């Protein structure tokens, strides 16, 4: 679910009013099955972990996920298209998308 618009006159203890259903779709509308650990978040922040001890995805995957595949999701707050592309390439070169 997601929130279509803010309800400032109707406060909620949970902050959001999740009113709209969400559906996962592929670009070509074909059915796809995926399995793995869902990880990610705001790429504006996460991209700075690559190359640090906190961004050693290979060690994390081997130690804690026992080789389970990772399904990455990223959302973008303020990066323009070029910065987003550079960030994804940086994560790729750091081995984040191996396996």
């Amino acid at each position: 679910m997601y929130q279509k618009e803010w309800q400032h006159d109707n406060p909620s203890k949970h902050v959001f009013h999740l009113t709209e259903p969400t559906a996962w779709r592929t670009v070509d509308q074909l059915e796809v099955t995926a399995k793995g650990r869902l990880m990610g978040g705001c790429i504006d922040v996460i991209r700075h972990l690559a190359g640090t001890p906190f961004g050693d995805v290979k060690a994390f995957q081997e130690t804690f996920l026992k080789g389970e595949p990772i399904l990455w999701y990223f959302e973008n707050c303020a990066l323009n298209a070029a910065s987003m592309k550079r960030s994804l390439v940086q994560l790729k070169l750091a081995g984040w998308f191996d396996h």
Side-chain angles (χ1 to χ4, degrees):
M1 303 290 284
Y2 72 96
Q3 177 175 306
K4 187 173 184 176
E5 58 188 40
W6 288 104
Q7 298 180 20
H8 297 290
D9 58 338
N10 182 20
S12 161
K13 68 178 183 174
H14 303 290
V15 180
F16 298 107
H17 294 88
L18 304 177
T19 58
E20 309 300 316
T22 302
W24 290 81
R25 296 188 185 114
T26 62
V27 174
D28 55 13
Q29 301 299 314
L30 296 176
E31 187 172 321
V32 174
T33 301
K35 184 177 180 180
R37 182 72 55 108
L38 185 63
M39 293 176 51
C42 182
I43 196 164
D44 304 50
V45 176
I46 290 174
R47 66 190 181 136
H48 297 293
L49 296 176
T52 74
F54 301 103
D56 189 349
V57 172
K58 182 179 180 182
F60 177 82
Q61 191 175 28
E62 290 172 357
T63 303
F64 298 104
L65 303 183
K66 307 300 182 207
E68 181 181 359
I70 297 172
L71 301 173
W72 288 105
Y73 76 93
F74 298 110
E75 47 111 351
N76 175 20
C77 179
L79 299 179
N80 62 32
S83 294
M84 180 71 172
K85 170 82 180 209
R86 283 191 296 271
S87 297
L88 290 170
V89 169
Q90 178 183 5
L91 296 178
K92 178 181 177 183
L93 294 175
W96 282 38
F97 306 139
D98 294 349
H99 311 295

